[in-house]
Amino acid sequence: MTFLNYLLNIRFARPLLAMILLLLMVVSSLNIYIDSKLPDEEKIRDIELQVPLKIYTEDLKLIGEFGEKRRTALQFENIPRHYINAVLAAEDDAFFEHSGVSYSGLIRSVYRLITSGRIQGGGSTITMQVAGNYLTSRDVSLFRKIKDIFLAYRLERAYTKEEIFEFYVNRIFFGNRAYGIAAASEVYYGKPLNELNLAQWAMIAALPKAPSSINPLVNPRRAVLRRNWILKRMLDLNFIHIEQFNLAIEAPLTSTYHGLVSEAEAPYVSETIRRFMIQQYGLGAYREGYEVYTSINSTMQKAANSSVTEGLEEYDRRHGFRKPENLNDLFPKEFPTKNIDAQLNFISQELERDNEETIDQSSLDRVTNFLQEFTETNNRFPGVVLNTDNGLKVLVKNGDVISIPWSERVDWARPFINENRRGAKPKNYKDLLSFGDLVWIQEEKVTGELFLTQIPDLQGSLVSIDPNNGSIKALVGGYDFFLSKFNRAEQSSPLLGSNFKPFLYASAFSEGFTASTLVNDAPIIFEDEALEDKWRPRNASGKFYGPTRLREGLLQSRNLVSVRLLRDLGVEKAISYAQKFGFDKSRLPPDLSLSLGTASLSPLMNAVAYSVFANGGRAVEPYFIEKIIDRNGDVVFLREKKDLQQVIDPRIAFLITDILQEASTRGTARKVSELKRRDFAGKTGTTNDAESTWFTGYNNSLVTTVWAGFDQPRSLGNREFGSSVALPIWLSFSKEIIDQIPINNTLPPEGLSIIKIDKSTGKRANKDTKNSIFEYFLEEHTPD
């Protein structure tokens, strides 16, 4: 009797054999099905290293880089043995023994599936991770896991263990846009992998598990815990000796960011372009090697950055030192106040005894971890006040205690009372600070001197464009991109204040009003249901000047002249004309308040609107991108040169510019005369209660607009105007780049007449007129 016949005669043998055969058929069918769905394992050699998206200025300076980085792959024999062992200890210590799959890991995964009811990560060998990262999808599913298992076996047959290890470490993500061990070594330590030490190799090996949260730059505590766990695993696996372990586990974190350094700082620009590229090309834009060439001028952008920063900081100092928030008020609720006080008091007492070295690092962890949440900026970093008895002692985020002597640098820090008042000049730090206050310290770039500072509340933006084609030459969207990514240049729409008046006057000139037309500058009360029962507009000076020529009304920015002009012109005509400059009708209030600038517009579109005056009456479309090329050097986008559409009479554009040029010598923009050039036109703008301040200045080559205000609108102060906040920023910017702005030699367009008029009446002068001036007129509107 054969063995098979014997089995068949046993009770239940036939059903059991049938089940075994069925199972084999199912497995075989599954194998055939999955095999048909798997990619060719040989393709892994053909996967290109991903090339990042790069953005350049018009003068070929690198602005930014997004996406995975191209790095030279390391051969296995060039990878330090300790790093290899650290990876094995962290991810797969049996890698060189198994056939691609860890059965114990699979059992753990199945157990988690049974107990939790869902597929979870984990249980994957290095080979399975290579399969999942490069040849299958990255979703967490049972079918994906099965595909990884089958593909892992095929990878093991096609490649050596060393090759698979190379695939893994050369392309995996390590955080901070570092892909591959060569990139990680440079980004975190600024040197090649073979120059690192054991603790640093273990730190890099720790990153792939959670490159964002277990990251020495973001969360040092978790990073050290993971590093030390790997070191302990290396010790248990006999990869290192106890002496090596002890030295490495006590090693401090030495990671600092050594990533890409931009040649031109334009983060708001690069973020705008990044979003555009993702919309146009999908996530492939991060890895397909696109290069975007912009219209940004690196010199202008640098000047814009420094001018906005210095201008906002100058306003901030002018209004005094704001009382800092205390750590007890800022700390999360789960940290009891008494614990914070106890820790800080202990530190303070040790300092008083000159026992700084006795402070236990562990007692600082809660405080220093909290400080990690604050972004450093402009050489400024946060700290907690420990002592103000003799100078200032501050605990900073790395656990160090720094001492800052009192100096004249702090004279500006008179206590802030409100936007219009400050307290007395401080004599020492006790006049300003209390134990536990969260403060900001600044380091002088040249000398390294430390001094007390603060982050401005005020925000601002600057946009500079070429009015002849709309190309954006410089753009700043806020005080600091890394503190606030909100792009105020494009995404905000503040009220324009008097920066709107040139558009109102242009509308009037198109309807027969002239620069010599008289409008009475006198008190007026309106009963306007669209506004209030009674509305009493007034001039910023509080004075009234009687009958005023429109030229004088605009260059001196007389509010009452503007209100009466809009009343006489008609609100609907003004709204219709303003749309020629790009204004959205829905943002133009249909009442007389429009004359004082209750229209809203983004700084970018305000620069576009003023470009119509600068270029002779033609509309432009703003743009950043000149061309885009792909990784092969082929041009995939090239901006076409377009003829500009004439939207207003070029004579009116010239007339408004001529008036605003005069405003830049003796009007509200007279500070512009510091440039010692007469071709710049300019207009200030201040809204009610000085909640927004503006200045727009231009010639026929460059238009630059500046806005400054609070994100949540409130008064900048009774003594603040466009001329005191926004104009100095514009002036600082223009002084830096003045040599790059050609002098305007534009001649008056045809159809204008120059006539001598009586300065007081605005009428044509005669031989007896003693107080006469020349004025421009549209030929059809010349005075009798």
Side-chain angles (χ1 to χ4, degrees), residues 27-70:
V27 171
S28 178
S29 300
L30 184 62
N31 181 50
I32 294 171
Y33 173 76
I34 292 179
D35 195 64
S36 68
K37 298 294 183 181
L38 292 178
D40 184 356
E41 67 273 12
E42 292 291 340
K43 287 183 178 179
I44 196 167
R45 291 195 191 277
D46 300 326
I47 296 175
E48 293 181 303
L49 288 178
Q50 298 170 342
V51 185
L53 165 67
K54 293 184 179 180
I55 303 170
Y56 295 93
T57 63
E58 66 173 2
D59 46 339
L60 306 184
K61 299 289 181 64
L62 183 65
I63 294 176
E65 183 174 288
F66 296 94
E68 297 86 340
K69 297 187 176 183
R70 181 199 294 267

Side-chain angles (χ1 to χ4, degrees), residues 401-454:
V401 177
I402 60 175
S403 297
I404 305 174
W406 179 260
S407 74
E408 293 180 356
R409 278 186 176 272
V410 196
D411 285 351
W412 66 271
R414 293 169 58 182
F416 172 87
I417 298 174
N418 57 45
E419 65 271 15
N420 299 311
R421 292 182 58 206
R422 292 182 297 165
K425 183 183 291 188
K427 297 178 181 178
N428 53 53
Y429 289 112
K430 281 183 178 295
D431 293 342
L432 299 170
L433 302 171
S434 302
F435 174 76
D437 279 347
L438 178 69
V439 294
W440 289 88
I441 306 300
Q442 185 165 354
E443 181 178 8
E444 178 64 48
K445 291 183 180 179
V446 177
T447 65
E449 178 187 359
L450 300 175
F451 53 92
L452 180 69
T453 186
Q454 65 185 7

Side-chain angles (χ1 to χ4, degrees), residues 169-420:
V169 298
N170 281 323
R171 300 181 184 184
I172 200 165
F173 182 51
F174 287 87
N176 284 291
R177 294 167 49 223
Y179 284 75
I181 48 176
S185 180
E186 293 289 346
V187 165
Y188 290 100
Y189 297 105
K191 50 189 176 182
L193 188 70
N194 60 5
E195 294 182 13
L196 304 186
N197 58 41
L198 177 59
Q200 293 167 335
W201 285 318
M203 185 69 260
I204 292 179
L207 287 165
K209 180 177 176 63
S212 296
S213 58
I214 302 178
N215 188 301
L217 306 183
V218 176
N219 197 326
R221 169 172 286 277
R222 288 193 64 188
V224 168
L225 289 174
R226 176 69 177 169
R227 180 200 72 178
N228 291 350
W229 179 86
I230 290 174
L231 290 169
K232 182 62 167 60
R233 286 272 299 151
M234 294 178 74
L235 178 66
D236 293 341
L237 293 166
N238 295 318
F239 288 155
I240 56 176
H241 301 297
I242 186 65
E243 293 81 9
Q244 293 172 304
F245 170 77
N246 289 335
L247 284 173
I249 206 166
E250 293 297 327
L253 272 183
T254 55
S255 307
T256 56
Y257 184 64
H258 295 83
L260 174 77
V261 177
S262 298
E263 298 173 287
E265 294 293 332
Y268 289 99
V269 174
S270 59
E271 173 60 16
T272 299
I273 292 174
R274 182 195 68 81
R275 291 200 309 269
F276 168 80
M277 292 297 291
I278 296 303
Q279 291 170 358
Q280 293 296 312
Y281 301 99
L283 293 176
Y286 285 147
R287 57 181 181 267
E288 294 301 326
Y290 290 109
E291 294 182 354
V292 181
Y293 293 87
T294 73
S295 57
I296 295 296
N297 178 284
S298 64
T299 304
M300 293 185 181
Q301 184 64 41
K302 182 179 179 181
N305 292 340
S306 60
S307 298
V308 170
T309 298
E310 292 166 8
L312 298 180
E313 290 175 358
E314 174 57 32
Y315 168 90
D316 198 59
R317 288 190 293 268
R318 195 158 65 235
H319 287 263
F321 185 73
R322 300 183 302 278
K323 176 64 180 173
E325 294 181 280
N326 196 273
L327 198 61
N328 287 313
D329 300 323
L330 289 172
F331 234 90
K333 293 180 180 179
E334 60 265 25
F335 295 102
T337 299
K338 61 182 181 180
N339 288 346
I340 303 169
D341 286 341
Q343 292 170 23
L344 293 179
N345 273 311
F346 169 74
I347 300 165
S348 182
Q349 291 166 9
E350 295 302 294
L351 288 171
E352 290 175 6
R353 300 188 186 102
D354 291 326
N355 288 334
E356 190 169 318
E357 67 278 2
T358 66
I359 299 173
D360 181 8
Q361 180 64 38
S362 64
S363 70
L364 307 183
D365 282 348
R366 285 165 130 176
V367 179
T368 55
N369 284 347
F370 179 72
L371 291 175
Q372 302 294 333
E373 302 298 321
F374 292 86
T375 302
E376 297 183 13
T377 178
N378 292 337
N379 297 314
R380 299 175 183 215
F381 54 90
V384 179
V385 174
L386 299 180
N387 196 302
T388 58
D389 289 337
N390 184 17
L392 177 64
K393 282 187 167 52
V394 176
L395 170 67
V396 295
K397 62 169 63 177
N398 66 358
D400 290 343
V401 177
I402 60 175
S403 297
I404 305 174
W406 179 260
S407 74
E408 293 180 356
R409 278 186 176 272
V410 196
D411 285 351
W412 66 271
R414 293 169 58 182
F416 172 87
I417 298 174
N418 57 45
E419 65 271 15
N420 299 311

Side-chain angles (χ1 to χ4, degrees), residues 443-516:
E443 181 178 8
E444 178 64 48
K445 291 183 180 179
V446 177
T447 65
E449 178 187 359
L450 300 175
F451 53 92
L452 180 69
T453 186
Q454 65 185 7
I455 302 296
D457 275 352
L458 191 70
Q459 281 291 351
S461 65
L462 182 152
V463 180
S464 193
I465 72 174
D466 183 337
N468 298 297
N469 54 30
S471 60
I472 300 170
K473 298 300 178 184
L475 184 144
V476 177
Y479 174 71
D480 190 292
F481 176 80
F482 299 101
L483 290 177
S484 170
K485 294 178 174 55
F486 179 62
N487 186 348
R488 294 154 191 85
E490 297 183 71
Q491 296 173 306
S492 69
S493 296
L495 300 185
L496 284 174
S498 297
N499 227 228
F500 178 78
K501 288 177 181 175
F503 308 108
L504 166 61
Y505 278 68
S507 177
F509 293 156
S510 73
E511 293 292 328
F513 291 81
T514 72
S516 69

Side-chain angles (χ1 to χ4, degrees), residues 63-124:
I63 294 176
E65 183 174 288
F66 296 94
E68 297 86 340
K69 297 187 176 183
R70 181 199 294 267
R71 297 291 182 182
T72 303
L74 293 181
Q75 299 294 321
F76 184 83
E77 59 267 22
N78 296 325
I79 302 174
R81 188 68 218 182
H82 276 315
Y83 176 73
I84 294 172
N85 288 337
V87 172
L88 298 179
E91 301 291 338
D92 183 3
D93 59 89
F95 171 70
F96 285 97
E97 285 75 47
H98 62 59
S99 57
V101 177
S102 168
Y103 298 106
S104 60
L106 286 179
I107 292 171
R108 288 194 299 270
S109 294
V110 171
Y111 175 75
R112 283 197 291 266
L113 170 62
I114 295 171
T115 55
S116 67
R118 60 187 180 89
I119 298 295
Q120 300 181 52
S124 295

Side-chain angles (χ1 to χ4, degrees), residues 573-645:
K573 287 182 179 178
I575 289 176
S576 177
Y577 195 81
Q579 292 176 71
K580 297 176 183 289
F581 298 87
F583 281 89
D584 182 345
K585 184 177 181 179
S586 66
R587 293 183 176 272
L588 298 170
D591 54 57
L592 293 179
S593 70
L594 179 64
S595 62
L596 303 185
T598 52
S600 60
L601 202 62
S602 71
L604 172 59
M605 293 310 297
N606 194 35
V608 169
Y610 269 85
S611 293
V612 177
F613 295 135
N615 66 26
R618 298 170 296 164
V620 297
E621 294 181 7
Y623 70 88
F624 287 120
I625 300 175
E626 296 283 2
K627 70 176 179 179
I628 303 171
I629 65 174
D630 63 17
R631 70 193 303 160
N632 299 316
D634 297 327
V635 177
V636 297
F637 171 82
L638 182 65
R639 181 161 298 279
E640 298 178 5
K641 293 184 178 180
K642 298 179 180 179
D643 293 331
L644 303 185
Q645 180 183 359

Side-chain angles (χ1 to χ4, degrees), residues 680-737:
F680 286 105
K683 184 70 190 79
T684 56
T686 310
T687 62
N688 279 348
D689 298 321
E691 289 186 350
S692 277
T693 61
W694 292 85
F695 183 76
T696 305
Y698 65 92
N699 72 356
N700 67 342
S701 299
L702 196 70
V703 176
T704 303
T705 191
V706 175
W707 169 83
F710 295 104
D711 284 339
Q712 299 299 320
R714 67 177 191 270
S715 175
L716 273 68
N718 292 339
R719 294 182 294 276
E720 301 292 1
F721 304 92
S723 59
S724 65
V725 184
L727 174 51
I729 295 174
W730 182 92
L731 190 59
S732 173
F733 168 74
S734 299
K735 286 179 178 178
E736 286 291 318
I737 63 164

